[in-house]
Amino acid sequence: MFSMEGPLWRALNLIADVMILHFLWLICSLPLVTIGPATTALYYAMMKRIRTNEGQVTTNFRKSFRENFRQATILWLIVAAAGVILWLDLNFCFTWGGTAGKIMLAGCSLLLIPCWMVLLYLFPVLAKFTGSLYDVFKNSLLMSVRHLPLTLLLTFLWATAWLMLAAFPPFTGLMLICGAGLMAWVTSHIYIQIFRSYLPDELEEDRKRIDNEWLHRD
C-alpha cells in the first residue's frame, strides 16, 4: 500500500499533478490574452497524464504552451470577441423591449447553443490535433454534434461546477486550490474517449500499455 507503485502513492501523485497544472494555468492566464495557450497546454498535459500515467506535467505543459502559443492566442481572441458581441447583443435586446426585442433575444439565445458546443471542444482539439484555425473550428463543431451525448455530459459537468460554486461555499475553496486542474482531469477522460474514435493507433497503444502495466503488477 505504501510502496512507490501502491494506490496511496499514485493517488498522492495525481493530486499533486492536478494542483500543479491548476497553478500553472492560473499563472500563465494572468495576462488574460494568454488564456487560450494556457488552456490548450492544460488539456495537453492532463490528457497525456491520464493516458501514459507519466508525471512530467510541467514539461508537457510548457511544451504545448510554447508550440501552440500563436494559434491558441488567436483562437482565444476570436472567442473573446464573439463573447463580447453576443453579450452586447443580449443587452441591446433587453433594453430594446417589444416584439422585435423578444425576437432578437430568442435568436441570440439560440446562437449561444452552437457557440457553447464549439467552445467545449476548441482548446482540447487544438491540444490534440494539428491543423489550421479553420480546421479547429470545423472539427470542434462536427465533434460536438457527432458526440452529442458526451457533449451534453460535458455541459452537465460544467453546469454542476458553476452551481456548486454558487450554492456550496466550501466548494469555492476547493476550486481556488485545484479548480482548473480538477475540471481538466474530469473532462479529459471524456475527450480521450472521443478522440480515440479518430486515432485508432493511439487506442491500440493504450491497450498495450495497460496490458503491460497489469503484467508488471502480477
Side-chain angles (χ1 to χ4, degrees):
M1 178 177 179
F2 296 100
S3 68
M4 296 293 287
E5 297 297 328
L8 178 60
W9 186 256
R10 291 200 303 271
L12 291 175
N13 273 336
L14 174 61
I15 293 171
D17 287 342
V18 167
M19 294 180 67
I20 288 170
L21 286 176
H22 167 73
F23 284 107
L24 281 174
W25 180 85
L26 278 180
I27 293 170
C28 293
S29 296
L30 284 179
L32 296 182
V33 73
T34 57
I35 290 178
T39 305
T40 303
L42 172 66
Y43 274 105
Y44 175 85
M46 185 59 75
M47 287 190 286
K48 199 170 183 64
R49 170 67 170 79
I50 293 171
R51 285 187 54 247
T52 64
N53 201 29
E54 65 176 37
Q56 300 176 353
V57 292
T58 303
T59 302
N60 291 330
F61 185 96
R62 289 174 178 171
K63 176 178 180 291
S64 177
F65 188 87
R66 182 176 61 255
E67 292 179 353
N68 295 301
F69 183 84
R70 180 177 173 276
Q71 274 193 311
T73 301
I74 296 174
L75 196 65
W76 167 245
L77 292 176
I78 294 173
V79 169
V84 170
I85 292 172
L86 282 173
W87 181 78
L88 291 174
D89 285 343
L90 288 172
N91 276 273
F92 179 74
C93 294
F94 279 117
T95 56
W96 192 359
T99 304
K102 291 179 180 178
I103 293 174
M104 288 187 63
L105 179 61
C108 291
S109 300
L110 288 175
L111 188 60
L112 288 173
I113 297 175
C115 288
W116 169 253
M117 292 172 64
V118 171
L119 180 61
L120 281 173
Y121 286 80
L122 276 181
F123 298 107
V125 167
L126 181 60
K128 193 65 179 178
F129 303 95
T130 58
S132 64
L133 290 177
Y134 172 77
D135 292 331
V136 175
F137 275 103
K138 180 187 70 174
N139 292 333
S140 298
L141 178 60
L142 293 176
M143 287 182 187
S144 67
V145 175
R146 181 178 180 185
H147 304 278
L148 186 59
L150 293 178
T151 301
L152 294 175
L153 177 58
L154 289 167
T155 301
F156 172 78
L157 291 172
W158 280 107
T160 301
W162 284 108
L163 288 174
M164 289 284 286
L165 282 172
F168 189 58
F171 187 71
T172 304
L174 176 65
M175 295 299 281
L176 288 174
I177 296 173
C178 62
L182 179 61
M183 291 305 297
W185 180 75
V186 172
T187 56
S188 287
H189 287 84
I190 300 174
Y191 290 123
I192 289 172
Q193 295 301 318
I194 293 172
F195 296 156
R196 278 174 175 168
S197 304
Y198 310 93
L199 300 168
D201 292 340
E202 184 178 285
L203 175 58
E204 187 62 28
E205 290 175 5
D206 291 346
R207 285 174 177 171
K208 290 180 180 179
R209 187 181 299 108
I210 293 172
D211 291 340
N212 289 332
E213 288 179 359
W214 280 106
L215 287 173
H216 287 307
R217 289 179 188 177
D218 294 339

